[in-house]
Amino acid sequence: MRQVWLAGPLALAAFLLLGSAWALALPVNGTYDEKQHVVRAYAAVTGQWLPTGHAPDAIGLPNEAFDAPRSLLPELADCTWSPRPPKPASCQIEVTDRAHTAMPSGAARYSPVYYLLVGAPLLISPDQTGVILARLLSALFAAAMFAAAFMIAARLGNRLLSLAIVLAATPLVINIGASVNPNGVEMSAGVLLFTALLGLVRTDPAEQPGRWLLVAIGGSGALLITVRGLGPVLCLAALLAVAVVATRERLAALLRSARTWALAGAPMLVAVLFAAWWTVYSKVTDAAEVPSRALPYSAGEIVRRIPGERGRFYLDQVVARFSYGETLVSPAMIYAWYLAMALLVLPALWYGTARLRLATAGVLTVCAAILIGLELKFVPTAGWWAQPRYVMPLGLGVLVLAAFEGRLASRFAGPLPGWLESRLPSRLRGHGYPGLPVVALVAALLPLHLYALARVLARFESGIAAGPNPFVDGSWQPALGPWPPVVTMVLGCLTLLTAVMVTALADRTPVAQAAPGAQRAQAQTEDDLPTGGTTLRSQVSAS
């Protein structure tokens, strides 16, 4: 079991390295809406919880503003993507003047919770250095939640769950998690919430709920509820989806437990009350109109146009569409990531229960309804608005739901073919399915993180048409040059692969050596209690 406990620290180091690579590679405002959140973060840590004035935004429209140093953002912070065509980051002009002025922010009325967590470096160093340090803090919080989910996978012995977490941490998720933007931490909180909830409801109804799972639920749920306006809706949908796949007896036992209410229910209730108070106090729902971007479409026409005008953007952004949406990667990368997701989700739906199919359909329906609702609300006043990253804290739960379908793990459990087994290194022999395929699939996916970083870094160095070579002489370079981000990304990928190997291969009874009767008994247990692998029940109940 000693190796299993390594999974958490290894995963924390891995996800922090992946995020740090992006934090070091991007120019200020190098990803979605970062300039808005940088100003909001500085305002939050200086006690400006609500806007103190108005200032023109990048297109000249009056926007709510805060009192902040001019050095916080470069001049022409949007020039890399607007106006068209996109340009290298050398178009930005560094500002060294720390005199205070009114600085606009489209996030002026967002909840201060996330910004208080990451904003301190901006107070100390209100410039590019402070932005990078704030990004690293954001990456640390996101990495901690992914690592906690990984630790749950290791303690439950769920090999497929480690794969689901890697699939959920798409390059886009890591990119945003390593920027000054609450959406990244929100997505990692959603993954942890689903993981901990399913780990809790898929144990024996007679067992006491594990404290560590309840703490993870309370913390991730509270964070999801408070960092962005959609949080309460996404959290409620996640709770309902997990309730669908849980047994009635287990739900009843959890609801009767005082420990459940103290460690999980109380933090989320406090978060709900805060979110409700903040919504009323800040009037955050009052969205500004942008007449220059408004589109004269009826509701029916908006719905009809979404597949053609927004479908590709929706699908790409889930995996890898960067900057403000103008920076694309090879379609082959997008297809590869979706194929890997399908290899987990589709067999789980095929072999799984009707409850799993209902929960999955419900999650996807809620995500689609939110995106369509946002488009219907904003297209007539501000143009196309919705982005899939807004609902990904919920949508990524589909992967976690699939990983907990024990019928999938039991169906494919067994030894590898003899000809393949004999060609493996001795350390890998005897593990069989699904452990080795999980490791192989993760090993195939991780280089895509490096490709995405290289593509985006080269784009900011040399222009939108640049290939994935960040070592050419461009007109811009990151503060530390291109080598530190690239090396950090490579180290992160290798560390994450090690964490997956620990989770998928450590302390397993070799399937090839197990007696047929033992294999049937294990398959029956996993079918009754779908945890995707051997459940460490004694650990769950004793924690």
Side-chain angles (χ1 to χ4, degrees):
M1 289 304 303
R2 186 178 303 169
Q3 285 178 295
V4 170
W5 287 102
L6 290 174
L10 282 172
L12 177 62
F15 285 111
L16 181 56
L17 286 167
L18 295 178
S20 297
W22 282 107
L24 296 173
L26 298 175
V28 176
N29 200 36
T31 191
Y32 298 96
D33 301 327
E34 187 177 47
K35 71 170 189 176
Q36 317 288 353
H37 300 295
V38 167
V39 175
R40 179 71 180 107
Y42 177 86
V45 295
T46 55
Q48 302 177 75
W49 283 27
L50 290 178
T52 57
H54 288 81
D57 61 14
I59 59 175
L61 293 176
N63 205 346
E64 293 178 317
F66 297 100
D67 182 58
R70 286 172 44 82
S71 59
L72 199 58
L73 296 173
E75 276 190 51
L76 305 177
D78 291 314
C79 67
T80 58
W81 67 279
S82 178
R84 305 286 179 173
K87 305 172 186 64
S90 55
C91 65
Q92 296 181 345
I93 303 172
E94 182 183 4
V95 177
T96 58
D97 180 9
R98 296 198 176 186
H100 280 230
T101 187
M103 299 196 71
S105 173
R109 296 181 182 271
Y110 281 21
S111 164
V113 171
Y114 166 81
Y115 304 105
L116 291 172
L117 293 174
V118 305
L122 297 170
L123 183 61
I124 300 169
S125 182
D127 50 24
Q128 183 185 32
T129 300
V131 170
I132 291 174
L133 293 175
R135 288 173 176 172
L136 292 173
L137 271 180
S138 187
L140 175 61
F141 285 113
M145 283 179 282
F146 277 125
F150 227 91
M151 194 64 207
I152 292 171
R155 294 192 67 180
L156 294 180
N158 190 329
R159 303 166 175 91
L160 294 179
L161 182 53
S162 61
L163 172 63
I165 295 166
V166 172
L167 289 172
T170 68
L172 184 279
V173 171
I174 302 297
N175 169 277
I176 296 183
S179 67
V180 183
N181 190 325
N183 190 210
V185 170
E186 182 189 32
M187 288 187 279
S188 58
V191 172
L192 176 56
L193 179 63
F194 265 101
T195 303
L197 283 170
L198 287 163
L200 189 67
V201 302
R202 292 307 184 97
T203 50
D204 193 316
E207 294 179 357
Q208 277 284 350
R211 289 186 180 89
W212 58 285
L213 286 174
L214 293 172
V215 169
I217 292 168
S220 60
L223 198 58
L224 178 60
I225 290 167
T226 55
V227 295
R228 283 174 61 90
L230 281 175
V233 176
L234 301 178
C235 185
L236 176 61
L239 292 172
L240 293 176
V242 172
V244 168
V245 299
T247 63
R248 185 179 304 175
E249 294 78 8
R250 184 56 174 164
L251 283 178
L254 290 172
L255 292 175
R256 288 193 303 267
S257 171
R259 183 187 290 183
T260 300
W261 291 102
L263 298 180
M268 286 198 285
L269 178 59
V270 171
V272 168
L273 294 175
F274 174 82
W277 170 77
W278 180 259
T279 300
V280 174
Y281 171 69
S282 67
K283 301 179 181 179
V284 69
T285 56
D286 296 346
E289 297 184 1
V290 186
S292 62
R293 297 177 182 171
L295 298 170
Y297 300 153
S298 65
E301 189 173 3
I302 291 171
V303 174
R304 286 193 300 271
R305 285 176 174 267
I306 286 176
E309 297 192 26
R310 301 291 284 173
R312 171 71 187 277
F313 173 76
Y314 284 1
L315 291 173
D316 284 357
Q317 195 188 59
V318 171
V319 178
R321 191 153 180 165
F322 299 104
S323 185
Y324 278 70
E326 85 288 346
T327 303
L328 309 180
V329 297
S330 168
M333 175 184 173
I334 306 295
Y335 300 150
W337 208 280
Y338 274 114
L339 176 60
M341 289 179 172
L343 289 174
L344 173 64
V345 174
L346 294 184
L349 295 177
W350 180 262
Y351 292 111
T353 63
R355 287 187 175 193
L356 173 66
R357 290 188 282 271
L358 178 61
T360 301
V363 167
L364 295 178
T365 300
V366 171
C367 290
I370 291 173
L371 292 176
I372 293 171
L374 289 172
E375 300 291 25
L376 291 172
K377 176 177 174 61
F378 289 107
V379 165
T381 59
W384 295 112
W385 188 274
Q387 299 184 38
R389 62 188 179 90
Y390 299 161
V391 296
M392 283 173 65
L394 175 64
L396 294 173
V398 168
L399 298 166
V400 184
L401 284 165
F404 272 89
E405 181 46 67
R407 296 183 181 187
L408 176 62
S410 61
R411 173 74 64 169
F412 291 100
L416 295 173
W419 64 269
L420 179 57
E421 185 86 11
S422 63
R423 288 168 171 78
L424 292 175
S426 57
R427 284 189 175 187
L428 298 181
R429 293 176 186 172
H431 291 284
Y433 296 104
L436 286 176
V438 165
V439 172
L441 187 55
V442 170
L445 283 176
L446 289 179
L448 298 181
H449 280 283
L450 180 60
Y451 161 73
L453 178 80
R455 160 71 179 118
V456 176
L457 182 50
R459 171 260 182 273
F460 282 118
E461 289 176 334
S462 304
I464 195 68
N469 180 6
F471 304 114
V472 298
D473 291 330
S475 60
W476 177 86
Q477 281 198 338
L480 300 179
W483 278 105
V486 171
V487 171
T488 303
M489 179 63 74
V490 171
L491 291 175
C493 291
L494 293 175
T495 308
L496 185 54
L497 180 60
T498 304
V500 171
M501 293 179 69
V502 166
T503 305
L505 304 179
D507 294 328
R508 302 284 185 260
T509 300
V511 177
Q513 299 172 9
Q519 291 184 32
R520 286 195 297 271
Q522 180 179 344
Q524 182 178 359
T525 301
E526 292 175 352
D527 190 59
D528 294 337
L529 184 60
T531 60
T534 305
T535 305
L536 306 179
R537 292 183 174 181
S538 60
Q539 291 186 26
V540 176
S541 59
S543 299

